[in-house]
Amino acid sequence: MLPVLLAVLLAQSPAANANPRQQGVPIGKGKTMPVVRLSAPSGGWTVDRMMLIEGTVSDATIDPVVVSINGDRYLMRTYNGRFSRKFPAASGKNVVTVMATNQAGTARAQATSYAQIPPVPFKVVLTSDTDGVYTDLHVYEPTDASAAGDTLDVQQMAHVYWADTASPSGGTFFLNSQGGDFDQPAYGPYLYIHRAPPKGVYLVATNYWPSGDKAHTVATLNLALFEGTPNEVRRMVRIPLATPGTTRVLAWVNMLGDGQAEVYVPSQDPKPQHAAWPKNLDEALKALQSNGGGEGEY
């Protein structure tokens, strides 16, 4: 009974409510139903690989807005009631919905754009549910030296992240752009796409650094493989983060070739049994974590 009473008292105390970032996504202060206007995408057809999502919300206190692209949810910062960010377009239909919430309720605006572009075999989008924190995206790519027989040497993988965005195999890493600033702690999104990923095992991870107070957050990974094709694979991974400097594996991806791939999420899936998987994934992960995720110090 005592733990229950303590929980109630803490929830009612001013200290428990001092930091609104830990109460979930904040809503606007306005008491009139907001109006959301999308200036992009404008609908119709496009041949652009990157899709601009841009518009305004009448209540400038709403920050962030919630963006849904083909059902995947992201948070996007607003600046004086404006929002703008480019996302990798999916081949074919792209349904974009922007939602803004204040004291009066939630307003929506929607547009559909059809992209005449080749399918993207490998797409990663990482966001967090808390402002003022870094949930940095880290992608480890296979190299000729990283795989030896049925084992994986994670130290030999190509490490692509905010401080080294150059992918030796041709992947593209997009920094977290917030109003033109690329080094602000916020919701994200962090983006990585590869239009011709070589065969082998990839590792998708996040490294968590709060800014200011030691807030916790939830990291959300949206992973899409062969998007817009009959072989499409989609996974969403949500992991709570609380310890500064923590490197957490979000997903392993094994590109098998011929439009085939397997995803292994350690927090959700049994260990993969396919013969193409390394036998030492647990040991490889320990090697990565013992090296601090390879990120170095801030």
Side-chain angles (χ1 to χ4, degrees):
M1 185 65 180
L2 182 58
V4 175
L5 290 174
L6 285 173
V8 171
L9 290 172
L10 286 172
Q12 294 175 344
S13 70
N17 298 315
N19 185 1
R21 295 200 285 105
Q22 300 194 28
Q23 309 300 319
V25 179
I27 65 175
K29 299 177 181 178
K31 300 183 183 302
T32 301
M33 182 68 72
V35 177
V36 183
R37 292 185 173 88
L38 270 174
S39 55
S42 57
W45 292 89
T46 180
V47 294
D48 293 331
R49 293 178 180 270
M50 299 297 292
M51 178 175 59
L52 176 64
I53 298 177
E54 187 173 62
T56 61
V57 57
S58 60
D59 181 355
T61 68
I62 296 176
D63 181 24
V65 292
V66 178
V67 178
S68 171
I69 306 175
N70 291 340
D72 290 337
R73 169 187 172 274
Y74 313 114
L75 301 177
M76 188 186 300
R77 292 297 305 267
T78 65
Y79 297 88
N80 297 319
R82 298 180 177 274
F83 53 89
S84 179
R85 183 72 158 99
K86 286 186 176 181
F87 288 81
S91 177
K93 189 176 183 180
N94 293 266
V95 180
V96 176
T97 306
V98 177
M99 292 161 281
T101 302
N102 66 6
Q103 306 292 328
T106 299
R108 293 172 172 81
Q110 187 175 92
T112 300
S113 179
Y114 293 87
Q116 293 179 315
I117 58 174
V120 176
F122 199 134
K123 182 171 76 174
V124 170
V125 185
L126 178 66
T127 60
S128 73
D129 281 358
T130 305
D131 193 10
V133 303
Y134 294 96
T135 49
D136 293 327
L137 173 64
H138 292 251
V139 178
Y140 296 79
E141 301 175 345
T143 66
D144 292 340
S146 63
D150 60 356
T151 61
L152 176 69
D153 185 350
V154 72
Q155 305 297 341
Q156 297 296 324
M157 300 179 78
H159 184 193
V160 185
Y161 67 118
W162 63 269
D164 188 357
T165 61
S167 161
S169 65
T172 304
F173 190 99
F174 299 87
L175 291 170
N176 172 27
S177 173
Q178 299 291 335
D181 193 321
F182 292 95
D183 191 32
Q184 287 294 318
Y187 306 101
Y190 298 87
L191 310 172
Y192 169 89
I193 60 175
H194 207 310
R195 296 185 175 91
K199 292 173 59 176
V201 174
Y202 296 71
L203 170 61
V204 182
T206 183
N207 190 269
Y208 173 62
W209 289 95
S211 176
D213 63 321
K214 300 299 185 287
H216 60 80
T217 191
V218 174
T220 300
L221 169 72
N222 289 106
L223 174 66
L225 307 177
F226 312 112
E227 190 175 30
T229 74
N231 295 334
E232 180 178 288
V233 177
R234 304 186 73 90
R235 291 293 298 270
M236 184 180 74
V237 183
R238 289 175 59 82
I239 291 182
L241 302 171
T243 306
T246 299
T247 296
R248 293 288 300 274
V249 170
L250 300 173
W252 296 90
V253 179
N254 197 343
M255 302 299 291
L256 303 173
D258 298 323
Q260 301 294 319
E262 287 189 356
V263 179
Y264 168 49
V265 179
S267 60
Q268 299 177 4
D269 303 332
K271 287 187 177 181
Q273 301 299 317
H274 195 287
W277 281 95
K279 306 302 181 186
N280 66 326
L281 287 182
D282 291 340
E283 292 78 5
L285 174 57
K286 290 178 182 178
L288 171 69
Q289 292 175 331
S290 66
N291 192 38
E295 180 160 319
E297 297 185 0
Y298 280 73

